[in-house]
Amino acid sequence: MNKKYKLQYLPLFKEDLEQTVLYISDVLQNPQSAEKLLDDVEDAIKKRLQFPLAFEPYHSARQRKHKYYKIQVRNFYVFYVVIDDVMEVRRFIYSKRDIDSILP
């Protein structure tokens, strides 16, 4: 039987995502693309919630208490950790950024 995981979002993830969506919608003037990105992110997270540990952890030079995992959604990464029975979604980062300097 599959273990059931709870989903939790950190405020920082929500802030990252909101800033990105506002940028696409307002600055790039493409609200349809922003809405589609939101839908894609939500779908990818819900799909991963079924088996959050079945994927290779994100490789980093930095030692962390909990292993980070990533989900690629278009040109972005959703980063999460698994703590007991909780999939904690922590960051939403553009893939071309220096990720190791951003992740705690």
Side-chain angles (χ1 to χ4, degrees):
M1 188 164 153
N2 295 337
K3 183 176 182 177
K4 295 285 184 183
Y5 290 89
K6 298 173 193 152
L7 185 58
Q8 181 176 328
Y9 296 96
L10 290 188
L12 190 53
F13 167 80
K14 292 179 181 181
E15 183 180 316
D16 290 342
L17 185 58
E18 182 179 337
Q19 287 178 358
T20 302
V21 167
L22 287 174
Y23 179 80
I24 294 169
S25 182
D26 297 344
V27 176
L28 299 180
Q29 298 183 353
N30 195 342
Q32 290 176 327
S33 182
E35 187 68 33
K36 177 77 169 106
L37 178 62
L38 274 175
D39 291 343
D40 291 349
V41 168
E42 182 180 6
D43 290 346
I45 291 170
K46 286 182 178 179
K47 185 176 180 182
R48 184 66 63 97
L49 183 62
Q50 297 173 30
F51 303 102
L53 295 173
F55 298 85
E56 185 174 345
Y58 173 71
H59 294 286
S60 172
R62 191 178 296 184
Q63 282 292 97
R64 295 181 170 92
K65 183 176 180 179
H66 303 286
K67 293 178 185 177
Y68 272 84
Y69 295 85
K70 70 179 177 180
I71 307 169
Q72 184 163 2
V73 180
R74 297 196 214 171
N75 293 331
F76 299 91
Y77 292 127
V78 173
F79 286 93
Y80 68 92
V81 299
V82 177
I83 305 170
D84 299 322
D85 66 342
V86 176
M87 179 177 155
E88 184 179 86
V89 182
R90 294 189 168 185
R91 295 300 307 259
F92 182 76
I93 302 172
Y94 181 62
S95 63
K96 303 296 182 191
R97 297 197 55 199
D98 181 7
I99 293 169
D100 279 338
S101 71
I102 297 170
L103 289 180

